[in-house]
Amino acid sequence: MGDPRPVEDHRDAVRGAVRPLTPVRVPLLEAVGRRVVEDVVAPRDLPAFDHSAMDGFAVRAAEVASARADRPTELPVSALVPAGTPGGTLTPGAAVRIMTGAPLPEGADAVVPFELTDRGADVVAVRAGVAAGEHVRRRGEDVEAGAVVVHAGEVLRPARVGLLAAVGVREVLVRPLPRVALVVTGAELLGDAGEAGVVESNSTLLAAAVGSGSAGTVASVEVVGDEPAAFRAALDRAVAAADLVVTTGGISVGDRDVVRGTLHAEPDFWFGPVAMKPGRPQGHGVVRTHAGREVPVVTLPGTPVAAYCSFLLFARQALAALAGEAPARSSLRSASDLELGARTVLLPGVVDDEGAVVPLPGHVGHAQSLLAQAEVLIVVPPGEGSLPAGGDVEVLWCEEATR
């Protein structure tokens, strides 16, 4: 199979085979958790008009400046302005009863809260003065029309979506959420698990991984045996339905390794060993549809632990590239010494109370129960000696949404 490819080289190769999806304009609620691809400008002011910040009375501040609890200023109440109605005009020497959010009447420059009055219906006694502008929210004081409210590349979290709605934005330009098709191979997966078969879990495991953190959507899932024609037909269906295809199994040099056997002669495919544990056999390439689309394919090992580790290390790179995002790298402080060797090793770990990463005891090779306990995979790089405790080490978060 040739000399093992370094992990970093394979990461770069997988990412380099992917082109970002063409942006689309979608309603706000469909864009939650997505990155916008252009600056979003406020089409109007927020607030859209001067309005009252309190239930009370709209006044001219100068006319109540001398008001005291023992010497209130009395003003006739000329009107009532509930929220959602025009503010009208304040007559000099009068007050307007006003509700929170209602437009400030023309001529008024302050609001006296009910708590500082006797709440009179026809004549109100104001028991304390207010300054000009007090308890008033001015037009555009939060956001001015023409201001950039969300910058290109920012993720639309709920509060940002709420802000966009408040300034009148209804749609935004984002990359489509990548559609992922999964093709799981292996004749043993189709048999009786109580005899010579194996209970198939890769499709469930990887479908869950695709959706973690809203990285993509699962377009289709197929489990096929080791027959080339059946695999090719499944692959063609997957490519037609998806923006990225992920396969598991059948990529080593065995007699029945159907994925490698079917695709190794394709001009845009690479198969070979990667210097890592678990997950030494890897592959990737591009399949062209009848419509001329180029769909990236990432081929992973068949054992669930190796498939999952490889998905986090490589397929997430492809998903990020489809979304037009830069490669994301995270690191944490290591709580213990980490021995280095000739290849990259992925260790399941958890994060302690001090924010350091701790390897879980045991051998990860085929232990799904150990992997299920992990919060992260620790990416121990190749080298000599050891990485001492306290140093930073790369981690792959098992659940992107919890980062």
Side-chain angles (χ1 to χ4, degrees), residues 134-159:
E134 196 164 354
H135 306 304
V136 173
R137 290 194 64 205
R138 294 296 182 187
R139 176 175 180 168
E141 74 172 42
D142 194 356
V143 177
E144 293 184 350
V148 176
V149 286
V150 178
H151 290 86
E154 290 186 322
V155 176
L156 286 184
R157 305 302 183 199

Side-chain angles (χ1 to χ4, degrees), residues 52 57-62 64 90 96 98 104-105 107-112 130-136 138:
S52 176
F57 294 88
V59 299
R60 288 177 169 83
V64 297
L90 175 64
V96 168
I98 192 168
L104 194 70
D109 62 4
V111 173
V112 181
V130 289
E134 196 164 354
H135 306 304
V136 173
R138 294 296 182 187

Side-chain angles (χ1 to χ4, degrees), residues 13-33:
V14 169
R15 188 176 183 86
V18 177
R19 299 292 176 265
L21 298 174
T22 302
V24 293
R25 200 167 295 278
V26 299
L28 288 182
L29 288 181
E30 292 183 23
V32 176

Side-chain angles (χ1 to χ4, degrees), residues 33-327:
R34 314 272 287 281
R35 292 186 191 275
V36 296
V37 299
E38 64 180 3
D39 290 347
V40 184
V41 174
R44 68 179 192 179
D45 294 321
L46 181 66
F49 48 82
D50 296 349
H51 68 260
S52 176
M54 301 284 287
D55 293 333
F57 294 88
V59 299
R60 288 177 169 83
E63 294 179 349
V64 297
S66 62
R68 302 289 184 273
D70 58 349
R71 192 176 59 198
T73 297
E74 294 187 344
L75 299 172
V77 179
S78 62
L80 166 64
V81 183
T85 62
T89 301
L90 175 64
T91 303
V96 168
R97 192 180 189 92
I98 192 168
M99 302 297 107
T100 301
L104 194 70
E106 185 178 348
D109 62 4
V111 173
V112 181
F114 279 152
E115 293 84 350
L116 301 181
T117 74
D118 67 351
R119 301 183 65 148
D122 298 319
V123 176
V124 62
V126 178
R127 296 169 177 161
V130 289
E134 196 164 354
H135 306 304
V136 173
R137 290 194 64 205
R138 294 296 182 187
R139 176 175 180 168
E141 74 172 42
D142 194 356
V143 177
E144 293 184 350
V148 176
V149 286
V150 178
H151 290 86
E154 290 186 322
V155 176
L156 286 184
R157 305 302 183 199
R160 285 191 175 124
V161 170
L163 175 60
L164 292 176
V167 297
V169 174
R170 295 292 176 260
E171 294 182 330
V172 290
L173 194 66
V174 298
R175 302 277 181 192
L177 201 60
R179 301 165 300 162
V180 182
L182 303 174
V183 181
V184 177
T185 70
E188 73 279 10
L189 305 178
L190 305 176
D192 182 348
E195 298 175 1
V198 175
V199 175
E200 193 280 306
S201 62
N202 278 347
S203 61
T204 303
L205 173 63
L206 297 186
V210 169
S212 176
S214 299
T217 60
V218 178
S220 65
V221 178
E222 287 201 52
V223 181
V224 297
D226 295 329
E227 294 300 322
F231 168 71
R232 185 75 221 200
L235 180 66
D236 289 343
R237 288 189 292 270
V239 167
D243 304 304
L244 172 69
V245 176
V246 177
T247 72
T248 67
I251 59 171
S252 191
V253 291
D255 293 340
R256 299 180 66 82
D257 281 320
V258 65
V259 177
R260 181 186 176 98
T262 302
L263 296 174
H264 79 279
E266 296 281 341
D268 296 314
F269 264 86
W270 177 91
F271 291 97
V274 172
M276 60 182 285
K277 181 182 179 180
R280 177 180 169 87
Q282 299 288 338
H284 73 94
V286 173
V287 172
R288 290 170 178 81
T289 69
H290 296 302
R293 282 196 312 127
E294 294 188 349
V295 179
V297 179
V298 178
T299 66
L300 309 178
T303 59
V305 171
Y308 183 66
C309 291
S310 301
F311 180 92
L312 297 190
L313 196 56
F314 303 124
R316 272 191 184 165
Q317 291 280 311
L319 285 170
L322 285 167
E325 298 181 6

